[in-house]
Every structure is written in C-alpha cells, then in structure tokens.
Amino acid sequence: MTAASLELSLGPVSFYWTRERYFAFYERACHWPLSAVTLGETVCSHRRDMKLADWLEIGHQLAAAGKQVMLGSQTLIESNADLRDLAKLCDNGDFLIEANDMGAVHRLSEAGLPFVGGAALNLYNVPSLRVLKDCGMFRFVAPVEMPGKDLARLLADTRAAGLALDCEVLAYGHLPLAWSSRCFTARHHQHPKDRCQFVCQNYPEGLPLTTQDDSRRLFTLNGIQTLSGACQDLRHELGDMADMGVAMARLSPRTEGMAEVVADFDQARQGRCPAPSPLTLVDAELCNGYWHGKAGMDLAVLED
C-alpha cells in the first residue's frame, strides 16, 4: 500500500536555536520534498533571537522554493506583550497563520483570515470542527494522542457532515504533551523564569528526563513545554493515513539528520519502507503507541 498522494509538511522548530542555525536549517529545507512549512516561535516569548522580520525573510525563501508557508502562533499566551506579538503575527500581511490558541483563532476570525488549527486546540469532534471552520479554519492538525481508528471515524463523520477540511498528522518527532507557566529548564539550572539566562539554547534537542536508573528517556523538557522522550515514527502508517483521508504528514524538525528523516518519509510514501527500525541517522528512541491506542511511549511491532 502506498501513500503517494499524501503530502509532507515541516512543523515549527520546538527548541531554542541560534539565529544562524535557523537560517542554515531552512536554507537546506528549501531543497527537501516538502509541500508546506510552518515557521515561528510557538513555545516561549523569551526566545527573541528571531524577529518577525527574520521569519518573514525565511518564509519568502521557502515560498520561492514552492513551499506553502504558515506562521505558527505562540501556544501559551501569558502577558500583554504576548498579545501584542500575536497581533503583529496575525497582521503580517504575507503568510497565513497556524493558530495554536483560541486568542489567535478569535483575532483571525475577526479579521476574516483563513488559518490552520494547531494540535493544541484539541479538536476531537465534528461540532468543534464546525465551529472553527465557521471561524475560517481550512486545515487542522489532529491531537497527538488521538488513535488512528478514532481519527478515521472523525474524518468520515466530518465528510458526512459536509465539512471540507484537510487534516494533518504529526508523523515524526517528539510529541508535544503539555505547556506550563513554569520554565522547567530554567528551574533545572536553579534560575528564576524571568531571569532564565536563555539556558534552553544549550539544549537544541531539549533536556532529556530519564527514569531514576537512567534506563529510559521518559520526557523531553523544553522550557515551559514538556515533550515525549521518544520521537513518534509513523512511516509505516502513511498508507492507512492516506486511505482515511489525511492530507499531510507533519515532520518535526531535529538538529541533525533531518534531511534523512524527510527522505525516509518520502520513500515511505512510495511504499518503499524497510522493516520497522530506528531511523539510523538520528539518535532517538521511537514510539507510535498513541496511534495504536496504547501508551504513547510504546513502539508497536509491525509485521509485513
């Protein structure tokens, strides 16, 4: 079974990188077989190396390479300054927005602007999708913990209800699990959140949190965000996704080996997928439990 019609997209960078690393990464991404790219700082407003003008510059480079470009909004709005930044983002005039909180949805709806609904909006049923479609949503990212069979049912019900909405699924990367007003990375270094000294930038792949005996990576700390310890890998599910009507498989950026990850998923779309095994060029544990209705950290053993 192949999924050649399924498009690949690149999600926003979850971690705090240097300005130079962002520009170098997206220069390479221009040449990858991706249909869409979401840019922007979606986690923490303290991360200010990249200005809106920088994201717009990168966005135009990607658009010139034939990619659909979205700008992701911050997921947790905590201050009036965050609201002002949100307003500037939504009013950028160049690119559409991926709304990651209801404040962004409200502003975009008031302005009559179409948008993508991010996974953090937690859209689980047809009434919720209908409300946001009426607000201008044309695509949504499925909640990361939704099992594949439940998503298949939701998409079938959505079509039966006459709602024309594309769906995107996070197919590769650390799963975003929670956001908090506390900064766990700063606390690890005994810094107060407001004087964090930007220690997140010391962890371009996040800060691993392991079991007491260090036998397993449970979570990945990323400032105010908690991610899964393992990376979700749904290469072997792309055919089923295409059959159920998923439009895009999202890949979450990593610092190393991302070109190989994209290439592996591009091959998987063509039905050329090797036996289940870790992506050899990326040092990360893998998981797919949520998709199979199990504990998220599990890796189901698939048989050909």
Side-chain angles (χ1 to χ4, degrees):
M1 181 183 298
T2 64
S5 63
L6 192 72
E7 297 180 334
L8 298 180
S9 70
L10 191 67
V13 176
S14 295
F15 307 109
Y16 188 21
W17 294 354
T18 63
R19 185 176 183 275
E20 293 73 21
R21 174 169 270 172
Y22 285 118
F23 272 89
F25 177 84
Y26 286 112
E27 183 178 359
R28 296 191 298 271
C30 286
H31 307 288
W32 297 341
L34 301 162
S35 296
V37 179
T38 302
L39 301 172
E41 176 53 56
T42 63
V43 177
C44 180
S45 60
H46 288 191
R47 302 174 176 181
R48 295 190 176 276
D49 282 26
M50 294 286 287
K51 310 301 184 186
L52 178 58
D54 295 321
W55 291 120
L56 293 175
E57 180 181 344
I58 291 174
H60 286 296
Q61 292 173 356
L62 290 163
K67 319 299 184 189
Q68 180 191 45
V69 176
M70 312 292 298
L71 298 177
S73 75
Q74 194 174 316
T75 303
L76 186 61
I77 302 296
E78 299 185 84
S79 67
N80 287 331
D82 290 348
L83 287 173
R84 290 192 292 272
D85 288 343
L86 175 63
K88 293 178 183 177
L89 185 77
C90 293
D91 298 341
N92 75 87
D94 290 343
F95 300 111
L96 299 179
I97 302 299
E98 177 172 296
N100 289 306
D101 89 309
M102 292 305 294
V105 170
H106 175 74
R107 184 169 187 90
L108 294 163
S109 178
E110 289 289 302
L113 295 172
F115 62 91
V116 172
L121 295 183
N122 296 322
L123 302 173
Y124 295 100
N125 54 59
V126 172
S128 298
L129 292 173
R130 187 186 301 278
V131 168
L132 267 71
K133 186 179 188 306
D134 290 343
C135 291
M137 185 176 73
F138 65 91
R139 184 167 76 235
F140 73 101
V141 185
V144 297
E145 74 277 15
M146 178 175 279
K149 63 179 181 180
D150 291 346
L151 179 60
R153 186 181 307 114
L154 174 61
L155 294 179
D157 291 346
T158 300
R159 290 189 293 271
L163 297 181
L165 283 170
D166 286 339
C167 177
E168 192 170 349
V169 170
L170 177 58
Y172 177 83
H174 292 287
L175 296 165
L177 302 175
W179 291 260
S180 171
S181 59
R182 291 174 179 256
C183 177
F184 300 109
T185 310
R187 193 172 184 85
H188 174 74
H189 287 272
Q190 299 183 356
H191 298 320
K193 180 182 178 182
D194 291 338
R195 296 189 299 279
C196 65
Q197 299 182 31
F198 308 107
V199 291
C200 281
Q201 209 161 60
N202 297 333
Y203 304 99
E205 292 279 351
L207 176 62
L209 180 64
T210 63
T211 55
Q212 289 185 334
D213 62 359
D214 288 330
S215 63
R216 188 169 192 181
R217 180 169 174 165
L218 289 177
F219 300 108
T220 300
L221 301 183
N222 177 38
I224 66 171
Q225 184 187 49
T226 301
L227 300 156
S228 62
C231 284
Q232 174 149 278
D233 177 13
L234 298 182
R235 281 174 297 161
H236 300 271
E237 322 299 340
L238 297 186
D240 289 342
M241 285 185 198
D243 288 345
M244 68 176 64
V246 172
M248 286 187 175
R250 170 174 289 201
L251 313 177
S252 189
R254 304 286 307 279
T255 53
E256 302 294 337
M258 199 63 208
E260 290 76 18
V261 171
V262 176
D264 278 359
F265 273 84
D266 190 42
Q267 289 291 306
R269 289 193 305 164
Q270 313 303 323
R272 298 190 291 272
C273 196
S277 63
L279 293 159
T280 56
L281 296 178
V282 181
D283 183 20
E285 297 180 31
L286 300 176
C287 65
N288 61 10
Y290 278 144
W291 184 263
H292 295 282
K294 300 180 180 180
M297 64 176 63
D298 286 351
L299 177 64
V301 177
L302 306 177
E303 297 181 357
D304 294 334

